[in-house]
């Protein structure tokens, strides 16, 4: 072991103890963040427009600030993009994280001097918790790869502009720089196929110990490694023992990953967003991710079942309950106020507060009032593959409202690595799990409004071809796994296995 790995263990123990100091005083911590946000932003354009100088408590805050998405704040963001200072937060932001919106076109999410360090600190702490759990930091002596977007940044009226993962690439600590792969030149490659091939060439003979990225894109990297060498990932990288991911539920990919790797490994789940680093996995034994309460974010929650009501319940952390599906709302040191990022979460614990991401509030199926959400779809697949050697590469679900014949149904587009021997039996298991989880779905099947779900087998590589066809191949782009319309499904029909 190197000096670096030896020193990492006591450092990790000190750092994680500090985290639990605020985690064990959650309401006090959030109140402190709340007061700081209001005080720091009261002289901004937004603060003046919303009477921040009169806000004394959370009830006052709710009266002044409505829940809104990017469009709701757009007039303020546009002023910042045009070069104005002191609009949503004091001064100008350090960066704009550019993201693609379905209704807003390109979105420019501000990242400020106050908010940027929280992204870096949270990612670091996730690794430190793993070191403490294992009492081992030997991985820091090996090579680490973070599959991410290009670090090349452009300029927008004096503010640097890029993808969040590209911005974060500029903040890799010096003590990890020598261990980091791929090279800067490879990271800057825009074409994803070309980039992954270059990553394979740079890493194939290295001692890789940490690999991180969105599962579907890391899976592509693993497949190319195996295609080139004929060896499983564990044979190539015997010291690779854990994978870091975020952005999607990993369970449906787990069988496929472990088949590609060739052994069981540990996993660290992160919940980063351009709007803020929200949570990370702090334990290898407890469910959920530790909610970041001291990272300049004041959280609000709305029960997902009420979100589209005229006056939904809107609460702070102290009133949340375990097992309820909430829309998460952010107020941040980047100047986002009452901001709905579109995610739904569920609390798995309150001592300390841990959450899991359950889906997207806009990603649901309720064509007939069934209210199917992402968590249910993912569990149904997991139930069906449990105890089998079935591997799923990717999937997406949509309603078929106007079939050529028979009753409407839910259409599941699935790309299998290892197919079920009997696809109809597999579909029945998925359907049974859906009925057990969702009473509305059960009633619609029993009432003969819907018929049993139908599975369409997508050819191998079909989802990648789909992403290419819509210009969203690679990087941080994710395939929506649930849609209430046919926009995705109708294109996916072009990538099916011919029966």
């Amino acid at each position: 072991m190197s000096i670096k790995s030896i020193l990492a263990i006591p450092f990790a123990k000190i750092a994680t103890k500090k985290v639990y100091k605020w985690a064990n005083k959650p309401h006090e911590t959030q109140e402190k963040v709340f007061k700081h946000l209001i005080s720091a932003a009261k002289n901004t354009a937004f603060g003046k427009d919303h009477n921040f100088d009169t806000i004394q408590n959370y009830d006052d805050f709710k009266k002044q600030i409505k829940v809104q998405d990017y469009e709701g704040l757009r007039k303020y963001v546009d002023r910042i993009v045009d070069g104005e200072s002191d609009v949503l937060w004091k001064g100008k932001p350090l960066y704009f994280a550019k993201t693609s919106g379905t209704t807003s076109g390109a979105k420019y999410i501000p990242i400020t001097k106050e908010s940027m360090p929280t992204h870096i600190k949270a990612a670091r702490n996730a690794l430190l918790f793993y070191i403490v759990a294992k009492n081992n930091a030997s991985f820091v002596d090996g090579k680490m790869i973070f599959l991410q977007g290009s670090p090349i940044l452009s300029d927008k009226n004096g503010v640097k502009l890029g993808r969040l993962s590209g911005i974060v690439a500029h903040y890799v600590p010096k003590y990890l720089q020598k261990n980091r792969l791929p090279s800067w030149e490879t990271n800057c490659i825009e074409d994803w196929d070309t980039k992954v091939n270059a990553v394979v060439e740079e890493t194939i003979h290295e001692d890789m110990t940490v690999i991180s990225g969105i599962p579907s894109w890391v899976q592509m990297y693993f497949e190319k490694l195996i295609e080139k060498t004929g060896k499983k990932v564990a044979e190539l990288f015997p010291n690779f023992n854990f994978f870091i991911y975020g952005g999607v539920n990993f369970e449906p990919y787990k069988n496929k990953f472990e088949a590609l790797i060739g052994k069981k490994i540990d996993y660290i789940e992160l919940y980063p967003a351009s709007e803020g680093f929200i949570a990370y996995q702090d334990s290898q034994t407890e469910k959920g991710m530790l909610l970041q309460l001291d990272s300049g974010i004041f959280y609000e929650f709305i029960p997902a079942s009420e979100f589209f009501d005229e006056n939904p319940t809107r609460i702070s952390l102290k009133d949340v309950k375990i097992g309820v599906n909430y829309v998460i709302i952010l107020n941040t040191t980047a100047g986002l106020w009452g901001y709905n990022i579109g995610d739904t979460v569920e609390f798995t614990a309150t001592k300390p507060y841990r959450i899991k991401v359950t889906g997207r509030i806009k990603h649901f199926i309720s064509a007939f009032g069934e209210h199917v959400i992402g968590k249910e779809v993912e569990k149904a697949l997991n139930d069906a593959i449990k105890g089998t050697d079935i591997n799923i590469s990717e999937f997406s679900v949509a309603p078929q409202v106007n079939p050529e014949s028979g009753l409407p149904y839910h259409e599941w587009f699935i790309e299998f690595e290892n197919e079920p021997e009997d696809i109809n039996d597999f579909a029945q298991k998925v359907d049974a799990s859906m009925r057990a989880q969702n009473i509305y779905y059960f009633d619609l099947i029993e009432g003969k409004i819907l018929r049993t779900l139908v599975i369409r087998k997508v050819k191998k590589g079909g989802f990648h071809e789909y992403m290419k066809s819509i210009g969203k191949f690679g990087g941080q782009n994710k395939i929506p796994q649930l849609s209430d319309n046919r926009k995705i499904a109708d294109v996916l029909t072009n990538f099916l296995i011919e029966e």
Side-chain angles (χ1 to χ4, degrees):
M1 291 175 69
S2 68
I3 294 294
K4 182 166 60 175
S5 62
I6 293 171
L7 292 178
I9 295 174
F11 177 74
K13 289 179 178 178
I14 293 169
T16 53
K17 282 182 181 178
K18 288 181 180 178
V19 169
Y20 282 138
K21 280 186 178 180
W22 58 253
N24 291 327
K25 296 180 179 179
H27 306 134
E28 181 181 312
T29 301
Q30 277 285 275
E31 181 65 19
K32 185 178 178 181
V33 171
F34 176 79
K35 288 180 177 178
H36 170 67
L37 289 172
I38 300 304
S39 174
K42 66 182 179 181
N43 292 320
T44 63
F46 187 90
K48 291 174 182 177
D49 290 347
H50 294 81
N51 304 308
F52 273 29
D53 58 347
T54 69
I55 295 174
Q56 299 296 318
N57 52 48
Y58 180 49
D59 285 335
D60 292 342
F61 179 83
K62 288 190 287 185
K63 291 173 186 175
Q64 298 292 342
I65 288 90
K66 65 180 181 180
V67 171
Q68 55 206 327
D69 57 14
Y70 186 81
E71 283 301 310
L73 283 178
R74 186 165 196 148
K75 66 178 182 179
Y76 292 100
V77 176
D78 286 348
R79 289 165 62 179
I80 303 171
V81 172
D82 288 340
E84 191 175 337
S85 298
D86 301 318
V87 180
L88 287 168
W89 192 254
K90 52 192 177 183
K92 287 185 178 183
L94 290 178
Y95 304 98
F96 291 118
K98 187 177 181 181
T99 67
S100 56
T102 53
T103 58
S104 306
K107 296 193 292 187
Y108 298 92
I109 306 299
I111 298 177
T112 63
K113 183 180 178 181
E114 289 85 353
S115 68
M116 187 68 231
T118 64
H119 289 270
I120 309 307
K121 188 177 180 181
R124 182 206 70 177
N125 284 349
L127 285 173
L128 295 180
F129 271 102
Y130 183 78
I131 289 172
V132 171
K134 297 294 181 178
N135 198 36
N136 187 331
S138 59
F139 68 83
V140 304
D141 296 328
K143 298 291 185 180
M144 307 179 188
I145 184 172
F146 301 90
L147 286 180
Q148 57 193 188
S150 171
I152 296 175
L153 306 180
S154 57
D155 186 272
K156 197 80 173 176
N157 290 324
V159 177
K160 296 294 184 183
L161 169 69
R163 299 284 181 180
L164 176 65
S165 62
I167 293 169
V168 170
H170 292 263
Y171 287 83
V172 175
K174 286 184 178 179
Y175 61 85
L176 292 180
Q177 288 286 6
K178 290 182 179 179
N179 302 67
R180 176 192 176 196
L181 288 171
S183 65
W184 185 268
E185 291 75 20
T186 294
N187 238 355
C188 292
I189 297 172
E190 291 289 351
D191 179 75
W192 195 250
D193 265 327
T194 305
K195 182 173 189 169
V196 174
N197 286 328
V199 172
V200 167
E201 292 300 326
E202 287 191 2
T203 59
I204 201 166
H205 299 298
E206 297 287 353
D207 177 23
M208 303 303 302
T209 56
V210 179
I211 298 173
S212 174
I214 290 176
S216 55
W217 305 119
V218 174
Q219 179 178 304
M220 182 180 175
Y221 164 61
F222 286 167
E223 288 169 344
K224 285 183 178 289
L225 281 169
I226 293 169
E227 181 183 339
K228 186 171 181 66
T229 65
K231 296 180 180 179
K232 296 207 170 185
V233 175
E235 294 179 73
L236 293 169
F237 309 139
N239 293 316
F240 167 51
N241 290 312
F242 71 95
F243 169 59
I244 305 170
Y245 70 95
V248 298
N249 184 340
F250 183 64
E251 284 302 316
Y253 301 94
K254 194 171 183 179
N255 279 1
K256 174 68 182 294
F257 252 67
E258 292 188 346
L260 292 171
I261 295 167
K263 68 177 182 180
K264 291 189 179 295
I265 62 169
D266 293 328
Y267 303 95
I268 298 177
E269 183 177 7
L270 311 178
Y271 184 8
S274 299
E275 295 84 357
F277 205 118
I278 296 169
Y280 58 74
Q281 186 176 335
D282 66 312
S283 170
Q284 287 291 309
T285 57
E286 300 294 330
K287 291 182 179 179
M289 295 175 283
L290 186 69
L291 188 63
Q292 295 301 283
L293 304 179
D294 77 330
S295 293
I297 304 173
F298 177 74
Y299 299 94
E300 301 177 82
F301 304 91
I302 296 174
S305 59
E306 299 181 27
F307 186 74
F308 295 105
D309 294 351
E310 188 174 341
N311 293 299
T313 304
R314 181 179 174 187
I315 58 176
S316 61
L317 187 71
K318 64 183 178 63
D319 292 319
V320 300
K321 296 178 180 177
I322 291 173
V324 176
N325 200 36
Y326 292 106
V327 178
I328 187 169
I329 308 297
L330 309 180
N331 304 277
T332 78
T333 49
L336 301 177
W337 303 101
Y339 195 87
N340 167 30
I341 62 172
D343 290 343
T344 56
V345 302
E346 183 180 301
F347 283 86
T348 60
T350 56
K351 292 181 180 179
Y353 282 92
R354 294 192 179 98
I355 61 171
K356 63 179 180 180
V357 180
T358 53
R360 299 278 293 167
I361 191 61
K362 290 183 179 179
H363 293 173
F364 60 91
I365 299 176
S366 200
F368 302 91
E370 57 269 50
H371 306 297
V372 169
I373 62 173
K375 179 181 71 169
E376 295 165 348
V377 167
E378 289 162 352
K379 185 178 187 305
L381 281 180
N382 292 335
D383 288 346
I385 67 177
K386 193 177 295 181
T388 75
D389 61 356
I390 298 168
N391 288 332
I392 292 172
S393 297
E394 196 58 85
F395 67 93
S396 190
V397 186
Q400 177 50 273
V401 179
N402 298 304
E404 291 183 5
S405 63
L407 294 172
Y409 54 89
H410 286 183
E411 196 167 18
W412 293 55
F413 294 83
I414 303 178
E415 182 182 331
F416 292 99
E417 178 66 19
N418 291 340
E419 290 186 20
E421 291 183 8
D422 187 334
I423 195 69
N424 292 322
D425 178 64
F426 181 80
Q428 291 289 341
K429 289 178 180 177
V430 174
D431 196 73
S433 178
M434 288 300 303
R435 293 193 203 197
Q437 294 181 76
N438 187 311
I439 188 63
Y440 303 107
Y441 180 80
F442 177 89
D443 288 344
L444 288 166
I445 297 285
E446 291 295 304
K448 298 195 172 3
I449 304 298
L450 290 176
R451 65 182 168 103
T452 303
L453 62 85
V454 173
I455 292 178
R456 307 292 186 201
K457 291 190 288 186
V458 176
K459 65 182 181 181
K460 289 188 179 180
F463 275 94
H464 285 167
E465 289 182 41
Y466 163 74
M467 293 296 276
K468 282 183 180 178
S469 74
I470 62 170
K472 291 191 174 182
F473 185 67
Q476 300 301 297
N477 295 312
K478 293 168 284 193
I479 297 164
Q481 295 175 337
L482 206 58
S483 304
D484 202 38
N485 57 56
R486 299 285 304 173
K487 185 177 178 182
I488 296 171
D490 286 344
V491 181
L492 282 173
T493 57
N494 298 317
F495 304 101
L496 300 179
I497 295 173
E498 294 185 13
E499 299 291 345

